[in-house]
Amino acid sequence: MSTPEHVEGRAYDAPPPPSPGVPRASVELSLAPHAAPQHDEDGPDQTVGEIGPTGRALRFTPDPEPLAQHGPAKILAVCNQKGGVGKTTSTINLGASLAEYGRKVLLVDFDPQGALSVGLGIHPHQLDNTIYNVIMERSVGVQDVIMETGVEDMHLLPSNIDLSAAEIQLVSEVGREHTLVRTLRPVIDQYDYVLVDCQPSLGLLTVNALAAADGVLIPLECEFFSLRGVALLIDTIEKVRERLNPKLDITGILATMYDPRTLHSREVMARVVEAFGEIVFDTVINRTVRFPETTVAGEPITKWAPRSAGAKAYRALAREVIAR
């Protein structure tokens, strides 16, 4: 209608319809990042021997020694079939923290949603070649697709929605569960860590990541439904270990989105530590507004807010991962 509509006594013009011929999917939904925070909200540093959020005394983890040479890489699958538990955030920030400690890191976006690529400031739908092309086209090599990021010594193997077709196309392939490890083999000696950001499911792509990995890092939101799903994931890990990848192990369980103010978070944390013991990292990732900000900015928190509690936590996680 061309006449104004009225709400609470005030008139306003109805928004115009979209222009003819312009698909709704082309609407730009990106946000412009504001300036990085000058003063971070970090709390007091925790000291060795102090009781941490896990209910255990914090153990000493030294700063890693510098490396004389790089490679071969240790492959870690960042995996949980439940969405929204911090897989992508943890992959980006752990990778950036490992790079700060002198490790050369490759991040593999193995989710058709391309969230890892977006979180590093890449527009995946604009890419001509992604990991899908490396997997499905013999003419495309992995070196042709790997991209640099804004973090020195941290590279990205990007993904987009094309990867969703690979799960169907690989069904008839011989050795389909080992497609990813064959894809990564030419560059394994160039990196110290390869972090694979898995999709939130236990389908063929995730099985590929587990078949290629030396270890699994499980981000676990401190919430009841996340806790229920871990048993199914661990069952899948055990099957992959028995049938496809005998060296596969659980590197650790990372508690994420922890809110120490709520009884529910503390109860879930206590149950996780009771069930899984020493494989639960001492490092715990608290809820903070900084993580959504870094996604918009396309940077890891170690660059966006380097003195924040979140940045310190991921550096502590990197020390634990290297020590393990």
Side-chain angles (χ1 to χ4, degrees), residues 67-289:
L67 296 177
Q69 62 182 25
H70 296 292
K74 183 175 184 179
I75 303 175
L76 298 180
V78 183
C79 183
N80 191 325
Q81 79 273 19
K82 186 179 185 301
V85 299
K87 289 188 298 295
T88 300
T89 297
S90 295
T91 303
I92 292 172
N93 293 303
L94 173 58
S97 299
L98 289 168
E100 279 191 2
Y101 285 120
R103 271 53 183 176
K104 197 167 182 182
V105 182
L106 175 64
L107 305 185
V108 178
D109 192 347
F110 215 47
D111 183 352
Q113 297 179 69
L116 181 67
S117 304
V118 171
L120 288 168
I122 308 296
H123 295 286
H125 61 277
Q126 297 177 356
L127 298 174
D128 293 328
N129 287 319
T130 65
I131 190 171
Y132 169 79
N133 303 91
V134 182
I135 289 173
M136 303 307 302
E137 301 172 17
R138 292 181 180 273
S139 60
V140 180
V142 65
Q143 295 94 338
D144 302 327
V145 180
I146 289 175
M147 308 174 66
E148 293 186 352
T149 68
V151 178
E152 185 178 359
D153 285 336
M154 186 174 82
H155 297 161
L156 170 68
L157 186 53
S159 169
N160 61 21
I161 194 63
D162 292 345
L163 186 61
S164 59
E167 196 149 18
I168 300 171
Q169 293 172 293
L170 287 173
V171 168
S172 60
E173 294 286 332
V174 175
R176 55 186 176 271
E177 296 91 351
H178 293 100
T179 300
L180 181 60
V181 72
R182 290 195 299 269
T183 299
L184 295 175
R185 193 171 291 139
V187 296
I188 287 295
D189 290 337
Q190 301 174 23
Y191 295 95
D192 301 304
Y193 285 91
V194 175
L195 305 182
V196 183
D197 184 28
C198 299
Q199 65 176 352
S201 80
L202 295 178
L204 183 56
L205 294 180
T206 299
V207 171
N208 258 267
L210 296 176
D214 300 293
V216 186
L217 193 154
I218 305 174
L220 177 65
E221 181 185 6
C222 290
E223 192 266 342
F224 176 67
F225 287 114
S226 292
L227 183 59
R228 289 187 65 203
V230 172
L232 181 60
L233 174 59
I234 290 178
D235 183 55
T236 301
I237 291 170
E238 290 175 352
K239 288 179 180 177
V240 171
R241 183 190 297 128
E242 292 171 3
R243 304 173 188 180
L244 297 170
N245 182 6
K247 72 178 187 297
L248 182 64
D249 201 0
I250 298 177
T251 300
I253 294 176
L254 173 67
T256 63
M257 303 183 188
Y258 179 68
D259 188 344
R261 300 169 299 177
T262 67
L263 177 62
H264 184 67
S265 279
R266 298 197 300 271
E267 287 178 339
V268 171
M269 175 69 77
R271 182 70 185 91
V272 169
V273 174
E274 178 187 345
F276 301 108
E278 293 300 308
I279 66 171
V280 180
F281 289 110
D282 285 350
T283 301
V284 172
I285 309 301
N286 287 3
R287 287 189 183 274
T288 171
V289 71

Side-chain angles (χ1 to χ4, degrees), residues 55-74:
R56 302 177 308 212
L58 295 176
R59 292 165 287 192
F60 174 69
T61 308
D63 286 344
E65 295 290 334
L67 296 177
Q69 62 182 25
H70 296 292
K74 183 175 184 179

